[in-house]
Amino acid sequence: MANKKMGLEVVSSAIISFSVFLLLASTTQAQSNGVFDVTKYGAGKDITEALTNAWKSACASTKASKVLIPSGTYWLRRVTLAGPCKAAIKLQVDGILQAPVDPDKLSGGHWVNFRYIDQFTLSGRGTFDGQGKVAWSKSTCQKYKDCDSLPMNIRFDFITNALVRDITSRDSKNFHVNVLGCKNLTFQHFTVRAPGESVNTDGIHIGRSTGIYIIDSKIGTGDDCISVGDGTEDLHITGVTCGPGHGISVGSLGKYPNEKPVSGIFVKNCTISDTTNGVRIKSWPALYGGVASNMHFEDIVMNNVQNPVIIDQVYCPWNQCSLKAPSKVKISDVSFKSIRGTSATPVAVRIACSSGFPCQNVKLANINLAYRGPGGPAKSQCSNVKPIISGIMSASGC
């Protein structure tokens, strides 16, 4: 009897050992040199579960890790990839990720969401394809309250010490990228592609974040190439090519109560082509207060741009606001320097500040913008501001 019991224990032990071996073998196969390949996690045409499981494994690693999506075309449903992780983590996307065409299958305001990660890199030759064409239709936008509720391609929420490099966002249903509560996040060689008629498809929107860098990137879309929301500080935009779209915009500000100050915005060495605006600061009339200061736009080339240089404190799209009261947003310490190229409208420079809170310390230096159409040459218009003008000023009037 004792021998039989001992034999059962030996068999049981052997089964457990073999199970552990299979588990270890499976883990080793899925993970090779810190690389977690989604194809080793059962990825097929739809990689949602495989990506989620690969991310969880990599995030739990105590050593630096990388999740790999190899070349190919994959379906991806709504997904959240969250930290905190135990070590630095990378996501390398070399394939094309396709969102569901139907917006109803992407509830929650986003398609792909990265949250609460420190030391994160998103890189590769890949594309996040939002397949947004159907969502831009008038009927769809009315259903989703003028498109505001449609899903964004990518959200970065509370990310620190991160790099996004070489990735493409294409045809988002809403904003391509939304950055909220982030610190020390860099976009480099980042590409946004969407047609000029796409609705509400801002390229990169930044809010309540600090230390954000957008470098050597190409953004063409149907709304602002880059839009800056409240609470943004220490933002550097350098070497960006923008167009089509609505330009590079600070704001709109003053639409909501308790907005945080905007400060330290530096836009330099950019090219803006065939857009409805160039470099712009905008705030709503009446409504709520706010502060925007220390904003500088320098060495910008404009090619056939409507409103190349504009501060608009009577911003009121679709006439959905009251113009009876002035904007309560205080704008100060702004400079536009070495802005050159061609304007698509006669008024190349328009500084329309609030009558309640006139702009303070606005500098215009070496503005050389040409307009050759009816009503030319190029001119400038200023209200509720006394700009400090130096160097070339081809657009006379202010």
Side-chain angles (χ1 to χ4, degrees):
M1 188 69 178
N3 288 338
K4 185 177 181 180
K5 182 177 181 182
M6 183 178 296
L8 289 173
E9 289 176 350
V10 170
V11 171
S12 177
S13 177
I15 292 173
I16 293 171
S17 296
F18 185 65
S19 299
V20 171
F21 169 77
L22 287 177
L23 178 61
L24 291 174
S26 175
T27 303
T28 301
Q29 186 180 24
Q31 175 200 356
S32 176
N33 298 322
V35 177
F36 297 78
D37 188 331
V38 297
T39 61
K40 302 297 192 299
Y41 284 81
K45 186 65 176 176
D46 186 320
I47 65 164
T48 309
E49 291 185 11
L51 174 58
T52 300
N53 291 332
W55 177 270
K56 288 179 179 177
S57 297
C59 190
S61 173
T62 55
K63 296 181 180 179
S65 60
K66 177 169 70 177
V67 176
L68 173 64
I69 301 175
S71 298
T73 300
Y74 308 93
W75 296 338
L76 181 65
R77 290 172 277 124
R78 183 176 183 265
V79 66
T80 296
L81 302 176
C85 297
K86 293 185 177 180
I89 187 168
K90 298 180 180 180
L91 173 59
Q92 181 175 324
V93 180
D94 290 331
I96 298 172
L97 307 180
Q98 293 182 330
V101 173
D102 185 354
D104 287 330
K105 294 183 179 180
L106 288 168
S107 60
H110 72 266
W111 171 30
V112 181
N113 187 196
F114 299 98
R115 297 173 60 84
Y116 299 105
I117 311 166
D118 185 22
Q119 301 182 72
F120 171 57
T121 300
L122 171 62
S123 63
R125 305 182 302 273
T127 297
F128 290 76
D129 183 359
Q131 302 202 94
K133 186 175 181 179
V134 172
W136 305 327
S137 70
K138 183 177 180 181
S139 59
T140 304
C141 287
Q142 287 175 343
K143 176 182 177 181
Y144 289 92
K145 298 179 181 178
D146 294 322
C147 304
D148 287 346
S149 298
L150 289 168
M152 305 174 188
N153 263 10
I154 309 173
R155 287 189 63 106
F156 296 97
D157 295 334
F158 312 105
I159 304 295
T160 57
N161 304 314
L163 172 65
V164 179
R165 182 175 59 200
D166 301 325
I167 290 292
T168 295
S169 175
R170 183 170 69 202
D171 292 347
S172 180
K173 293 176 176 64
N174 197 337
F175 291 5
H176 285 264
V177 171
N178 189 81
V179 175
L180 176 67
C182 295
K183 185 176 182 180
N184 298 334
L185 168 60
T186 296
F187 295 84
Q188 185 176 29
H189 301 141
F190 182 70
T191 302
V192 170
R193 292 177 183 163
E197 61 271 19
S198 58
V199 180
N200 206 42
T201 54
D202 292 37
I204 302 176
H205 177 77
I206 306 111
R208 306 206 173 196
S209 299
T210 183
I212 308 300
Y213 290 76
I214 304 171
I215 303 169
D216 299 333
S217 296
K218 295 181 180 180
I219 303 176
T221 189
D223 210 298
D224 293 329
C225 292
I226 299 170
S227 56
V228 181
D230 77 291
T232 301
E233 297 182 337
D234 192 27
L235 168 65
H236 299 259
I237 301 168
T238 306
V240 168
T241 299
C242 166
H246 294 180
I248 298 174
S249 298
V250 176
S252 55
L253 302 174
K255 187 176 182 180
Y256 303 104
N258 304 314
E259 291 185 353
K260 303 292 184 182
V262 172
S263 179
I265 310 300
F266 304 92
V267 181
K268 190 173 182 179
N269 189 29
C270 294
T271 299
I272 303 177
S273 303
D274 301 312
T275 56
T276 56
N277 299 282
V279 287
R280 173 171 62 157
I281 302 169
K282 52 180 176 172
S283 71
W284 292 76
L287 299 180
Y288 303 99
V291 175
S293 63
N294 190 23
M295 297 173 287
H296 306 283
F297 307 85
E298 183 176 358
D299 193 19
I300 314 292
V301 176
M302 305 284 180
N303 296 314
N304 192 41
V305 172
Q306 304 175 43
N307 308 308
V309 175
I310 179 170
I311 296 178
D312 183 5
Q313 291 206 263
V314 287
Y315 177 72
C316 186
W318 312 294
N319 296 317
Q320 293 181 345
C321 53
S322 171
L323 295 174
K324 295 180 179 179
S327 173
K328 299 175 183 177
V329 176
K330 301 177 182 179
I331 294 175
S332 64
D333 301 323
V334 182
S335 66
F336 300 95
K337 297 180 179 180
S338 298
I339 313 292
R340 60 195 183 277
T342 56
S343 174
T345 52
V347 180
V349 176
R350 184 162 73 94
I351 313 294
C353 296
S354 168
S355 59
F357 300 94
C359 298
Q360 301 294 319
N361 193 27
V362 175
K363 297 179 180 179
L364 301 171
N366 293 319
I367 309 297
N368 191 5
L369 294 165
Y371 170 73
R372 296 183 177 88
K379 56 181 65 71
S380 59
Q381 294 178 351
C382 294
S383 57
N384 303 307
V385 62
K386 295 180 179 179
I388 302 168
I389 300 173
S390 62
I392 298 170
M393 185 61 183
S394 62
S396 61
C398 281

